[in-house]
Amino acid sequence: MMVISPSMLGADLLRLGEEIDLVERLGLTWLHLDNMDGHFVPNISYGPEFVAAMRRKTSLFLDVHLMLEYPRRYLKRYAEAGADMITVHAEAADEPADTLRAIAALGVKAGVALKPDTPPGAVEALLPLCDLVLVMTVEPGFGGQAMRADCIAKLPVLREMIRRTGRDIRLSVDGGINRRNARRVLEAGADVLVMGTGLFRADDPAGVVRDVRAAAEACACAR
Ligand code: DX5
Ligand code: ZN
């Protein structure tokens, strides 16, 4: 079942409550929260308190993306803040397998993310510890970038790696996803589409959701 995970980085910071109401009205079930430390990526965004505020506002699934050099230091605070899933980068300074085990030990679903230049093989050994793989289709740090089409080739490779594990692991794409390229990433094997600008800055977010759901239907029929 395809999931759209709206990235709050693309939302209007002065109207976050209304933007979450919109997400709920659109019948979406996830919220993607991008946390950045200014070290792992050249930007600073939110922290655990932001996640806690989102938790107080909504029961949507909080899909927390940590772009932190040392995520292990903060896992407990994000878990206590109400994260439903914590995704950390394979490229972070903390050893990813230990970090993924630590996330699971907190009772939170665990995801691993890979930057555009990191090959799929870098995460294959981590898959038994994962509930989701996040394929960055932009260099992490900022919303509103154009999707890097060269990253799409990773999706079928990761889809096959996931199949071989026999585990139910979600395959997510993140960065520059919109109504025009959604079908392409779905056909390549993605089943979670993170959308910030492509959803929140669209003239008709409901039309975007309709188009993406139609693309997912068309892909499912094709399979
Ligand atoms: C970038 C973040 C993405 C980004 C997506 O580092 O991980 O989640 O906010 O935003 P758009 O869809 O605008 O590229
Ligand atoms: Zn993200």
Side-chain angles (χ1 to χ4, degrees), residues 49-107:
E49 290 72 19
F50 180 84
V51 174
M54 296 295 106
R55 183 75 295 157
R56 289 195 299 274
K57 165 69 181 168
T58 182
S59 59
L60 291 172
F61 183 88
L62 299 186
D63 162 26
V64 174
H65 179 189
L66 297 187
M67 287 158 275
L68 312 182
E69 192 68 34
Y70 296 98
R72 282 206 68 182
R73 296 174 184 173
Y74 304 94
L75 296 180
K76 192 165 180 296
R77 287 171 60 189
Y78 279 104
E80 288 168 352
D84 292 295
M85 179 164 65
I86 296 174
T87 296
V88 294
H89 271 263
E91 307 91 350
D94 287 334
E95 203 287 318
D98 293 342
T99 308
L100 292 166
R101 287 189 194 97
I103 294 168
L106 289 163

Side-chain angles (χ1 to χ4, degrees), residues 166-219:
R167 284 171 57 84
D168 180 19
I169 300 173
R170 288 272 191 187
L171 183 54
S172 180
V173 283
D174 186 6
I177 304 302
N178 57 44
R179 68 199 314 168
R180 290 177 303 284
N181 60 32
R183 175 149 189 180
R184 188 170 173 197
V185 296
L186 288 162
E187 282 172 342
D191 59 11
V192 178
L193 275 56
V194 175
M195 297 181 75
T197 310
L199 180 70
F200 287 113
R201 308 292 164 88
D203 297 337
D204 63 340
V208 171
V209 171
R210 213 174 21 252
D211 288 355
V212 173
R213 284 179 173 152
E217 278 297 308
C219 292

Side-chain angles (χ1 to χ4, degrees), residues 7 9 32 34 36 65 67 136 140-144 174-176 194 196-197:
S7 166
L9 204 66
H32 186 82
D34 289 303
M36 304 175 186
H65 179 189
M67 287 158 275
M136 293 305 300
F142 299 90
D174 186 6
V194 175
T197 310

Side-chain angles (χ1 to χ4, degrees), residues 110-152:
V112 66
L114 51 166
K115 293 164 81 171
D117 295 336
T118 301
V123 298
E124 184 163 19
L126 300 172
L127 294 179
L129 301 170
C130 293
D131 300 292
L132 175 137
V133 177
L134 181 64
V135 175
M136 293 305 300
T137 38
V138 295
E139 196 61 33
F142 299 90
Q145 302 177 72
M147 178 187 75
R148 273 186 45 175
D150 61 311
C151 300
I152 295 176

